[in-house]
Amino acid sequence: MPGSRTGRPPVQRAVRRPAPARPPHDNAVRRLYTRVQRAWDRPLTAYYLILGGSLLITVLGLVMVYSASQITALQMSLPGSYFFRKQLLAAAIGAGLLLAASRMPVKLHRALAYPIIAGAVFLMALVQVPGIGVAVNGNQNWIALGGSFQIQPSEFGKLALVLWGADLIARKQDKKLLTQWKHMLVPLVPVAFMLLGLIMLGGDMGTAIILAAILFGLLWLAGAPTRLFVGVLSFAALIGVALIKSSENRMARLQCLGASDPGPGDTCWQAVHGIYALASGGIFGSGLGASVEKWGQLPEAHTDFIFAVTGEELGLAGTLSVLGLFAALGYAGIRVAGRTEDPFVRYAAGGVTTWITAQAVINIGAVLGLLPIAGVPLPLFSYGGSALLPTMFAIGLLIAFARDEPAARAALSARQPRFGRKRAGGAGRGREPRRWNTMRRRASAARSSGER
């Protein structure tokens, strides 16, 4: 065997076997999945989902309120932007409430629970006083504030039940009283049924259903035994059946489930035309502002049935986007409730999530013809300042709770201001520090050595 130039025999190198080729598509999908999973598990994910999702729903709702309410306003001899301007004003006030709630400490939220529920009960009782309460669409659940402004106290009753119920259950859990069924039910269930009675005096069964959903959500989070939970649920169901059978209007709404024609006397007119609006939208819709059903065919196009107008103008893509935003909001609320160690935060976050999710499901299910028309607005989306204000305050609660998580607190405290401080790792990236930053650092070093 011929030698090398150094006289040594040449080294025999092992023959490398070619590695099995991996399809690049699988690697790309796996990397994308890993990145999404890491981003999903970050401590501030719930915070961003709640903040971003709620703002997107509110902004899109303002756009759709403007589009869906123009014809109704003109038919009432009002400016075309009348309802939009009122909703924009309510959204601006609600943004202030959201910001205030998101900055409040948990102790202040708990301190506000009793004043809020006392005020809600007083206003809900005031609705039944002749000359003060106002009836709208057959339901006397409104109080006139002067001019065209009205308030619906039952909407604030949802927020009151969430805060007060969460504080009550948290106190009993601290005292280890939830193992006894009487402490599980009293006084939570009697107070909730009192609120339900005040609401039903005005005939608003839709809001009563949402309030009942909040009650069951709180009991479920508190760990109510199955027999106790089923017993309360059965009792509420019997009352609901009796109330439905006692009203011809409610029975007519129940008979419109899955209806494909208005029926005799046009009893299912609203339900059927909601389906017509969704069916004519197609995949991408007829275009913003191009709805046909809002021209007097679809009642309550800018309130209870705004989701139908959204489907007609923005199509399946628009409705799925709205559903995705509500799903993200619901997931973030569940995540906040599941990761906290504070009982009040767990119950309050769960109650708010139950409230918003249940109301969205009932509204969208009614528009799709899957549930009876309950007359409840789509949260953060439909027209109505009385519904928007407490809902945005509740969103502020979720934001405050999401920021208060230990991991989220650590992530927020680790962040430094963009200006005025040198970012961590800046020198490693080869960036030169700012001149005034360097001078300040030298001044700090001079003070630490005793020079003044």
Side-chain angles (χ1 to χ4, degrees):
M1 180 180 294
S4 62
R5 293 181 181 179
T6 59
R8 297 178 181 177
V11 179
Q12 295 290 339
R13 296 184 179 180
V15 180
R16 295 182 179 179
R17 295 181 180 179
R22 297 180 180 178
H25 178 70
D26 292 346
N27 293 337
V29 172
R30 185 176 301 176
R31 287 196 299 269
L32 179 61
Y33 173 77
T34 303
R35 291 179 180 177
V36 172
Q37 188 176 15
R38 288 178 181 175
W40 202 253
D41 292 336
R42 289 178 179 175
L44 292 177
T45 297
Y47 169 74
Y48 288 130
L49 284 178
I50 296 170
L51 180 61
S54 59
L55 289 181
L56 286 175
I57 294 173
T58 305
V59 171
L60 183 58
L62 287 172
V63 174
M64 293 311 305
V65 165
Y66 180 65
S67 176
S69 65
Q70 288 182 354
I71 306 304
T72 304
L74 293 176
Q75 289 175 346
M76 298 172 64
S77 300
L78 296 171
S81 60
Y82 174 77
F83 293 104
F84 169 74
R85 286 181 293 176
K86 291 185 65 177
Q87 186 74 357
L88 184 61
L89 176 61
I93 299 174
L97 293 176
L98 185 149
L99 183 61
S102 65
R103 295 294 179 178
M104 288 182 185
V106 176
K107 291 182 179 180
L108 184 55
H109 288 304
R110 299 187 69 167
L112 290 176
Y114 287 86
I116 289 178
I117 194 169
V121 170
F122 174 75
L123 291 177
M124 291 167 67
L126 201 63
V127 167
Q128 307 304 323
V129 177
I132 298 178
V134 178
V136 177
N137 294 331
N139 296 334
Q140 187 167 347
N141 282 307
W142 299 80
I143 295 178
L145 299 179
S148 61
F149 292 94
Q150 298 175 342
I151 187 174
Q152 188 176 3
S154 57
E155 292 291 340
F156 295 88
K158 304 172 187 176
L159 177 64
L161 181 60
V162 167
L163 287 176
W164 177 80
D167 179 71
L168 175 69
I169 299 175
R171 291 178 186 273
K172 291 193 173 186
Q173 180 176 336
D174 293 338
K175 297 179 181 179
K176 299 181 180 180
L177 297 175
L178 294 181
T179 55
Q180 306 176 26
W181 67 269
K182 59 180 181 180
H183 286 289
M184 179 75 70
L185 296 180
V186 181
L188 176 63
V189 174
V191 171
F193 275 83
M194 179 188 66
L195 295 175
L196 290 171
L198 290 174
I199 293 174
M200 288 307 302
L201 283 177
D204 189 2
M205 190 169 183
T207 305
I209 293 175
I210 306 301
L211 210 68
I214 295 173
L215 172 63
F216 294 135
L218 290 174
L219 290 176
W220 181 271
L221 291 169
T226 305
R227 291 180 297 176
L228 185 64
F229 190 83
V230 172
V232 177
L233 183 62
S234 302
F235 181 70
L238 290 176
I239 295 178
V241 170
L243 291 174
I244 291 175
K245 288 187 175 181
S246 63
S247 173
E248 296 182 359
N249 184 29
R250 299 186 188 119
M251 287 296 298
R253 291 184 178 185
L254 189 63
Q255 294 172 358
C256 291
L257 286 175
S260 57
D261 60 87
D266 293 335
T267 55
C268 301
W269 179 275
Q270 187 179 24
V272 171
H273 278 271
I275 298 295
Y276 289 167
L278 291 171
S280 61
I283 297 179
F284 297 106
S286 58
L288 192 61
S291 171
V292 176
E293 291 293 333
K294 67 183 181 182
W295 286 77
Q297 300 296 324
L298 180 63
E300 308 296 336
H302 60 298
T303 54
D304 301 342
F305 271 70
I306 194 171
F307 188 76
V309 179
T310 304
E312 185 179 4
E313 296 187 351
L314 303 182
L316 181 64
T319 54
L320 289 181
S321 299
V322 175
L323 290 175
L325 290 173
F326 276 110
L329 196 59
Y331 166 79
I334 294 173
R335 176 169 170 168
V336 170
R339 293 193 175 190
T340 184
E341 297 179 357
D342 189 334
F344 172 78
V345 173
R346 181 184 304 112
Y347 299 134
V352 170
T353 305
T354 303
W355 161 16
I356 295 177
T357 304
Q359 187 165 329
V361 169
I362 291 174
N363 178 275
I364 296 174
V367 174
L368 295 176
L370 303 176
L371 295 175
I373 299 175
V376 296
L378 190 58
L380 302 173
F381 202 84
S382 297
Y383 169 78
S386 294
L388 184 62
L389 295 181
T391 306
M392 294 193 75
F393 187 89
I395 294 296
L397 285 177
L398 289 180
I399 293 175
F401 298 156
R403 290 169 56 94
D404 198 52
E405 289 184 14
R409 248 193 342 258
L412 289 173
S413 62
R415 291 184 173 183
Q416 296 180 354
R418 187 172 183 180
F419 301 102
R421 290 186 184 178
K422 182 181 175 182
R423 294 185 179 181
R429 298 189 186 98
R431 297 179 181 176
E432 291 294 331
R434 299 179 185 271
R435 181 176 182 87
W436 57 280
N437 263 347
T438 307
M439 293 176 63
R440 188 178 65 174
R441 187 168 61 252
R442 290 175 179 172
S444 301
R447 293 192 188 99
S448 62
S449 63
E451 298 180 8
R452 300 291 178 182

